[in-house]
């Protein structure tokens, strides 16, 4: 085999492996279970969180989704939005530390929501909406560990915590960033209502809040998809540049006397 052929073969192999890695990484990133919007103001009231669950299996459907809500920094006044074909089971837990609000002292909070009965097939995703009365104001991040069960019995555990400065874990738990209050607090605060609220007070404003949050989620999702597409396109262009450089090098060597 000539030096030129060897160079071209090696360049083509390297380019193919690089491109495959880029596309695999892009696919893996989009398959995570996520929560939307990605941030709210600390202590926000009367809002909606949407848990997006994509199906990443080719031959099995998602048939059960379990979302675990933190109880050390509890989410108060949780209400579940009905989902066609799905049945939600809400589990409450007695809090180790009671939470005082303007409406009284809260001793129990939702710790788990389990959806069953429906199916998320290959190439599909499902949004599970949860309205809340009040988010905690004593932490900057909430992690919602999630279990995704498939029709073949396999379970994906989205429970790994992302650490500052480290690469994203393979199965990260959906996480919500809580920002400090201020000028942008009302925008992240759903209705911008009073801080104290329970499940009953969350209900009247959940419809308008859900609409606003859905529009925000759609915008965030579009921006995120665009950013991922541009990033992937940039990497693909880099791979094509590598291929072109390989061919140029091969031609240069072949032209030498």
């Amino acid at each position: 085999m000539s030096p030129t052929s060897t160079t071209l073969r090696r360049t083509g192999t390297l380019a193919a492996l690089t491109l495959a890695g880029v596309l695999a990484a892009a696919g893996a990133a989009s398959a995570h279970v996520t929560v939307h919007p990605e941030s709210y103001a600390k202590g926000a009231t009367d809002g909606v969180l949407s848990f997006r669950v994509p199906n990443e299996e080719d031959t099995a459907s998602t048939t059960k989704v379990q979302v675990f809500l933190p109880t050390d920094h509890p989410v108060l006044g949780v209400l579940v939005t009905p989902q066609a074909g799905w049945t939600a089971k809400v589990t409450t837990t007695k809090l180790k530390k009671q939470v005082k609000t303007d409406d009284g002292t809260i001793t129990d909070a939702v710790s788990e929501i389990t959806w069953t009965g429906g199916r998320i097939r290959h190439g599909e995703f499902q949004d599970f909406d949860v309205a809340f009365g009040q988010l905690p104001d004593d932490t900057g991040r909430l992690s919602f560990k999630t279990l995704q069960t498939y029709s073949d019995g396999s379970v994906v555990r989205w429970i790994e915590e992302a650490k500052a400065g480290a690469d994203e874990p393979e199965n990260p738990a959906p996480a919500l960033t809580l920002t400090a209050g201020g000028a942008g607090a009302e925008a992240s605060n759903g209705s911008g209502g009073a801080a104290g609220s329970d499940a009953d007070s969350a209900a009247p404003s959940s419809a308008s809040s859900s609409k606003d949050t859905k529009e925000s989620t759609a915008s965030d999702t579009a921006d995120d998809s665009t950013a991922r597409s541009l990033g992937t396109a940039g990497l693909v262009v880099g791979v094509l540049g590598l291929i072109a450089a390989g061919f140029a090098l091969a031609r240069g060597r072949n032209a030498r006397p």
Side-chain angles (χ1 to χ4, degrees):
M1 183 179 296
S2 67
T4 299
S5 299
T6 302
T7 300
L8 291 175
R9 182 168 60 86
R10 289 178 179 175
T11 301
T13 301
L14 176 60
L17 291 175
T18 303
L19 182 59
V22 169
L23 296 178
S30 63
H32 294 168
V33 174
T34 52
V35 61
H36 302 272
E38 296 179 351
S39 67
Y40 257 110
K42 291 182 178 180
T45 59
D46 301 335
V48 175
L49 297 175
S50 183
F51 294 92
R52 176 160 296 178
V53 182
N55 189 86
E56 59 179 3
E57 294 292 338
D58 294 334
T59 59
S61 300
T62 296
T63 56
K64 181 179 180 181
V65 176
Q66 296 167 268
V67 175
F68 297 87
L69 283 68
T71 55
D72 52 347
H73 302 288
V75 178
L76 306 181
V78 169
L79 294 172
V80 179
T81 301
Q83 301 284 348
W86 295 86
T87 299
K89 178 183 177 182
V90 179
T91 301
T92 59
T93 298
K94 185 169 291 296
L95 299 174
K96 293 182 179 179
K97 182 179 179 181
Q98 299 178 349
V99 179
K100 294 183 179 180
T101 71
D102 293 341
D103 296 325
T105 301
I106 306 299
T107 60
D108 301 87
V110 173
S111 58
E112 178 185 347
I113 306 174
T114 301
W115 287 273
T116 56
R119 283 183 177 270
I120 308 173
R121 295 174 174 80
H122 173 66
E124 299 178 345
F125 71 88
Q126 178 72 54
D127 284 342
F128 297 94
D129 295 338
V130 176
F132 63 81
Q134 182 179 342
L135 294 176
D137 59 5
D138 57 351
T139 184
R141 183 181 179 87
L142 292 178
S143 180
F144 301 93
K145 295 182 178 181
T146 302
L147 301 184
Q148 182 178 10
T149 301
Y150 286 91
S151 55
D152 60 4
S154 61
V155 178
V156 179
R157 300 168 62 84
W158 302 100
I159 62 173
E160 297 178 273
E161 300 280 354
K163 297 181 179 179
D167 292 337
E168 183 181 55
E170 182 177 356
N171 295 313
L176 178 71
T177 298
L178 297 181
T179 61
E186 291 189 4
S188 299
N189 193 4
S191 66
S197 177
D198 56 15
D200 293 334
S201 63
S205 61
S206 62
S208 61
S209 177
S210 177
K211 179 181 178 181
D212 293 341
T213 304
K214 281 293 186 182
E215 292 175 352
S216 175
T217 298
S219 176
D220 292 343
T221 302
D223 291 344
D224 182 61
S225 299
T226 301
R228 284 179 178 170
S229 298
L230 290 175
T232 302
L235 290 173
V236 170
V237 170
V239 172
L240 295 177
L242 178 63
I243 295 174
F247 277 107
L249 177 62
R251 286 197 299 268
R253 290 181 175 177
N254 192 43
R256 292 175 184 174

